[in-house]
Amino acid sequence: MTVTHPQPVVVLVDSQMGENIGASARAMLNCGLTGMRLVRPRDGWPNPAAYSISVGALEKMPPVQVFEQTRDAIADCQFVLATTARARDMVKPSYTAREAATELGRRAAEGQKTAILFGAERAGLDNDDVALAHGLITIPLNPEFSSLNLGQAVLLVAYEWSQISIPAKDPVPPELLPAPHDKFLEMCERLEAELDANNFFRTGGHKSIMIRNLRNMLSRGAMTEQEVRTFHGIITALTGKKTAGQKQD
Amino acid sequence: MTVTHPQPVVVLVDSQMGENIGASARAMLNCGLTGMRLVRPRDGWPNPAAYSISVGALEKMPPVQVFEQTRDAIADCQFVLATTARARDMVKPSYTAREAATELGRRAAEGQKTAILFGAERAGLDNDDVALAHGLITIPLNPEFSSLNLGQAVLLVAYEWSQISIPAKDPVPPELLPAPHDKFLEMCERLEAELDANNFFRTGGHKSIMIRNLRNMLSRGAMTEQEVRTFHGIITALTGKKTAGQKQD
């Protein structure tokens, strides 16, 4: 994950439990976010419980900044979204977490500094704080059981942010790639010959159809070369024969 | 969110803390998942701490099922993904959480019963349990700080499931769906016993690792019940033995 654009800052307003601040920090760093700001944390700051639950995240991040007012915490931000559990009676664009990540990323790509607000554990953000935001984030969840704790809500929003710049996957080592097809077919043909010698194909159905079904079955797993050799070993072991040039392994 | 297709079951293996089971249940129900299975929960079941942390989720879900072995917990499942923190040295398809949700949804639309495995808090899943799965889920996170707690991992995977919309599809005839996992494992065990009787496992490597590799190879294709019977027929034909109750076809 390479995030070279400005990241959103995460602003926790009126958080009550240090544990939730710590869990939020851990979730943020899991997703590559490092800018945390607190507005009026109930138990002050720094908070030992937060450090303990963050399992090192708070030590690895730049120092958390603490503010008295939400407006001060977002003073330098150019675009602000407020996370809310429910739609509010306000005329504001509303984003799912995934749509929000796209929009935040689009603005980050322009060089905008953005922020995401999260409210207190039970009460959420008050309407005055929501009114400061340019839009809402509502996480679409089971409508009959939608209450997330603070750390979980931060995780989902931060996770969606992290997915908009998806890392290139590590290349797969060659030995884990499927075998060249001729190696595979050679193995099929050996199996079929052995089965034929044991009257397998007399027991029902047309031989050509049975062979096709066998190959369908065996090909779906896309065996590696090592696995093709192993399968040769299985045939050899089961038939009790050695075949020139085939080694068991 | 209307999910009328079969849902993945969530299987927690060797979970240690009741709190994490409860947080997982809450996260599952947030995302509309209700099938939880536990394998060897350290502190037994039911667990008061789990109920407390789930804030009602466990009461709203069908009863949690408890198993001694992972294989029993997935015996009726046709497609199984194992959540791992890192890529394993195994030949298995690897999915991001988002890709996994798409694949699970595709299979759900066909009527397949699926499962998602999660390991213990620190150790994760052991390799033998991973070998039972058809593929891996690895959640792409900050590579320098990727450790998630169990409830957070369950939340992200369940959340991705909740975000897919499952397309309406014609149902796939049951005979074209993968066999229940216990039928497949029974077949593996018969093959392994025959190979053992033919000294296959003396030829190199450790037997347990060779068995794990065999199961990885054979599981990737997700055989149908008919194919499992065919494979029994292959073993019978190659060994020249009849096994009571196994018919060639």
Side-chain angles (χ1 to χ4, degrees), chain B residues 193-209:
Chain B
E194 291 285 3
L195 289 172
D196 211 8
N198 285 281
N199 297 315
F200 179 79
F201 297 112
R202 283 199 327 192
T203 59
H206 290 293
K207 179 174 170 182
S208 62
I209 294 174

Side-chain angles (χ1 to χ4, degrees), chain B residues 174-196:
Chain B
E175 66 271 21
L176 299 185
L177 295 180
H181 211 280
D182 56 351
K183 294 274 198 302
F184 169 75
L185 270 187
E186 196 179 274
M187 181 203 87
C188 290
E189 285 167 348
R190 181 178 164 213
L191 173 65
E192 290 148 14
E194 291 285 3
L195 289 172
D196 211 8

Side-chain angles (χ1 to χ4, degrees), chain A:
Chain A
M1 189 163 41
T2 315
V3 179
T4 53
H5 301 291
Q7 295 180 352
V9 295
V10 169
V11 183
L12 307 186
V13 182
D14 288 324
S15 302
Q16 294 172 13
M17 297 182 63
E19 287 82 353
N20 288 333
I21 298 173
S24 298
R26 179 180 180 176
M28 285 172 59
L29 192 57
N30 281 152
C31 302
L33 290 180
T34 60
M36 177 182 268
R37 298 179 179 182
L38 302 177
V39 178
R40 297 179 300 265
R42 185 190 64 187
D43 297 337
W45 193 259
N47 179 318
Y51 274 82
S52 161
I53 295 285
S54 87
V55 293
L58 282 165
E59 287 87 346
K60 292 191 173 72
M61 290 159 54
V64 170
Q65 298 172 278
V66 183
F67 299 85
E68 269 307 302
Q69 301 293 330
T70 304
R71 58 181 296 163
D72 299 328
I74 57 174
D76 58 341
C77 298
Q78 295 159 299
F79 183 73
V80 178
L81 294 179
T83 309
T84 65
R86 57 191 188 284
R88 306 270 180 141
D89 188 16
M90 294 192 195
V91 183
K92 274 192 197 301
S94 175
Y95 300 87
T96 64
R98 189 161 298 173
E99 292 163 350
T102 301
E103 179 66 9
L104 291 166
R106 191 181 72 72
R107 291 176 183 270
E110 292 181 357
Q112 296 188 36
K113 181 147 190 170
T114 62
I116 308 166
L117 304 179
F118 293 87
E121 282 85 345
R122 291 190 183 281
L125 290 164
D126 74 28
N127 281 336
D128 290 334
D129 283 345
V130 173
L132 295 173
H134 298 94
L136 307 179
I137 302 177
T138 305
I139 305 170
L141 294 170
N142 181 354
E144 285 158 28
F145 194 82
S146 61
S147 149
L148 283 175
N149 86 5
L150 180 58
Q152 308 276 69
V154 170
L155 176 65
L156 290 182
V157 173
Y159 168 74
E160 287 287 9
W161 163 265
S162 76
Q163 299 304 297
I164 61 170
S165 51
I166 295 173
K169 285 187 182 176
D170 289 335
V172 174
E175 67 271 20
L176 301 186
L177 295 179
H181 209 276
D182 58 347
K183 293 274 198 306
F184 171 74
L185 271 186
E186 192 180 280
M187 179 202 88
C188 290
E189 285 164 352
R190 180 178 167 214
L191 172 66
E192 290 148 15
E194 291 287 2
L195 289 172
D196 211 6
N198 285 281
N199 297 316
F200 180 78
F201 297 111
R202 283 200 324 192
T203 60
H206 290 294
K207 179 174 170 183
S208 61
I209 295 174
M210 292 176 78
I211 285 179
R212 196 186 306 144
N213 290 342
L214 273 180
R215 291 183 181 189
N216 276 335
M217 170 177 87
L218 294 172
S219 66
R220 277 208 311 279
M223 293 181 187
T224 66
E225 287 205 59
Q226 172 62 46
E227 289 173 340
V228 168
R229 287 194 294 274
T230 300
F231 204 92
H232 275 295
I234 291 175
I235 299 172
T236 302
L238 293 182
T239 56
K241 287 183 220 164
K242 297 283 178 200
T243 304
Q246 299 297 350
K247 288 186 68 176
Q248 299 179 14
D249 43 18

